[in-house]
Amino acid sequence: MPTYQEGIFIEDANNFNVSEYKLVENDIAKIKKSISSILNEKSDNVYVVISFGKELWSMLSDLELDNFKDFATLQGKNGHQMPSTQNDLYFRVLGKDQSLVLDQTIRIEEALKGTFEVVLSENGFVYKDYRDLTGFVDGSANPKEEKKYPAALIPENENGGNGSFVFHQKWVHDLEKFNQLPVSVQEKIIGRTKQESIELEGDDMPENSHVSRTDAKHDGVAMKIWRRSFPYGSAVERGLFFIAYTCDPFRVDIQLDRMLGNTEDGVSDRIMEFSTAVSGGYSFAPSVEELNKALKV
């Protein structure tokens, strides 16, 4: 049975880094050597999830994956946009010790230097009791316990079994604008109460709330994904780095279309009045066995 990458489901980490790389050297042997060296030097108590853009994965593996694609820029009907910054290689590093997470992040960059160029790297953390910087609990709708595995992983009997499609998207918040609103209005935008994180019901739940737009179904099936987002922030910029693991990219696509108003109802997510997507890319996190096979020289 193929083994999923362990870091996908680690839930007690509180320090994170996501780094995205562009390929600058097409020598397959060098590519495999540089990535393999990272896998051989992982630190204790630090987890690394590695995923590949479609083009790089096709260079390394003959495994064909249904529905695997690059992310394309999305234009919303109501003036919003989600840009594509599709990259080739993605690393998510997580752990409980900020020093160890940083050390591993640096080791990765040094091992890839000359073969890949880092184009985005963001550090994050757990904010208070797992809240976004808006003050609302993040990830409340995540599937619980055993339900997270079928949401995140390709079925074992399919190509790429126990691998996962990954979506990365960086959001920049306008917290000053958001925080000027009364809490009652903020709750209508999110779709949950701020303090207790209780989902609004009935007429209290606006159709343009974030919960309403991302709680998607298709042919009666809930489009659940496994969210592993984290907040980031400094005096310069604050926001959320959205990460989704899914058995099928369509589950992410339908949520993004609903946020943008690109569905029949034409309703867009009000959260985009206060937060702007500045990156976006799909990748594939293969099982441990497929990863080792792809990197074999």
Side-chain angles (χ1 to χ4, degrees):
M1 182 176 71
T3 309
Y4 56 78
Q5 293 186 48
E6 187 177 7
I8 293 174
F9 295 108
I10 295 298
E11 296 188 59
D12 61 351
N14 54 19
N15 284 276
F16 313 95
N17 174 271
V18 166
S19 295
E20 304 182 5
Y21 292 83
K22 281 286 189 187
L23 182 66
V24 295
E25 170 61 75
N26 287 326
D27 187 311
I28 297 295
K30 288 183 179 180
I31 294 171
K32 292 184 176 184
K33 183 178 179 180
S34 63
I35 300 173
S36 295
S37 68
I38 296 163
L39 301 179
N40 294 332
E41 295 182 8
K42 288 191 297 184
S43 301
D44 292 336
N45 302 315
V46 174
Y47 299 88
V48 177
V49 181
I50 178 174
S51 56
F52 302 82
K54 182 179 180 180
E55 184 175 349
L56 178 59
W57 181 250
S58 66
M59 292 171 61
L60 299 175
S61 173
D62 58 4
L63 176 68
E64 295 186 4
L65 297 165
D66 293 338
N67 306 321
F68 191 19
K69 61 182 181 180
D70 288 339
F71 181 65
T73 294
L74 300 176
Q75 301 287 347
K77 291 180 180 177
N78 299 319
H80 301 293
Q81 182 191 73
M82 294 182 181
S84 169
T85 54
Q86 181 65 51
N87 288 309
D88 297 309
L89 185 61
Y90 296 76
F91 287 89
R92 175 171 165 251
V93 182
L94 59 156
K96 293 183 178 181
D97 187 313
Q98 185 177 19
S99 300
L100 296 179
V101 170
L102 178 60
D103 287 346
Q104 183 63 52
T105 299
I106 292 171
R107 277 195 291 269
I108 291 170
E109 190 275 333
E110 290 176 344
L112 297 177
K113 193 172 295 183
T115 308
F116 293 87
E117 177 185 3
V118 62
V119 292
L120 186 155
S121 187
E122 197 68 64
N123 296 317
F125 47 84
V126 170
Y127 181 65
K128 298 183 178 179
D129 52 341
Y130 293 91
R131 292 178 185 264
D132 176 57
L133 297 183
T134 57
F136 286 81
V137 173
D138 183 54
S140 299
N142 251 347
K144 305 296 189 290
E145 299 178 350
E146 296 301 310
K147 292 181 180 180
K148 62 190 177 187
Y149 298 106
L153 300 175
I154 299 170
E156 291 178 14
N157 61 346
E158 295 183 9
N159 283 352
N162 272 350
S164 181
F165 296 106
V166 192
F167 182 63
H168 286 179
Q169 189 176 46
K170 180 180 174 180
W171 290 80
V172 178
H173 292 343
D174 186 343
L175 291 178
E176 184 176 2
K177 181 179 178 182
F178 186 81
N179 290 334
Q180 288 175 351
L181 301 173
V183 170
S184 60
V185 176
Q186 295 177 8
E187 291 176 339
K188 294 285 188 181
I189 293 168
I190 301 300
R192 290 182 176 273
T193 61
K194 191 166 188 176
Q195 185 61 38
E196 301 87 0
S197 192
I198 298 171
E199 190 169 301
L200 304 183
E201 297 181 349
D203 293 339
D204 290 331
M205 175 71 87
E207 62 178 349
N208 62 358
S209 73
H210 184 57
V211 170
S212 294
R213 302 318 297 166
T214 57
D215 186 16
K217 288 187 177 181
H218 181 72
D219 292 338
V221 178
M223 297 288 97
K224 291 295 185 180
I225 57 177
W226 179 238
R227 293 172 173 84
R228 294 285 84 196
S229 307
F230 60 77
Y232 68 90
S234 68
V236 177
E237 185 178 88
R238 293 161 287 280
L240 182 79
F241 205 105
F242 177 71
I243 302 169
Y245 294 96
T246 180
C247 59
D248 186 344
F250 177 75
R251 295 191 174 200
V252 175
D253 291 343
I254 194 171
Q255 292 191 19
L256 300 182
D257 279 338
R258 286 176 57 81
M259 290 180 70
L260 287 163
N262 291 343
T263 45
E264 289 184 3
D265 57 16
V267 177
S268 56
D269 192 332
R270 277 207 69 196
I271 197 66
M272 291 187 295
E273 298 174 26
F274 307 92
S275 192
T276 303
V278 297
S279 76
Y282 275 120
S283 57
F284 172 62
S287 68
V288 174
E289 290 78 9
E290 285 292 347
L291 178 59
N292 291 333
K293 181 180 177 181
L295 297 178
K296 188 176 181 180
V297 179

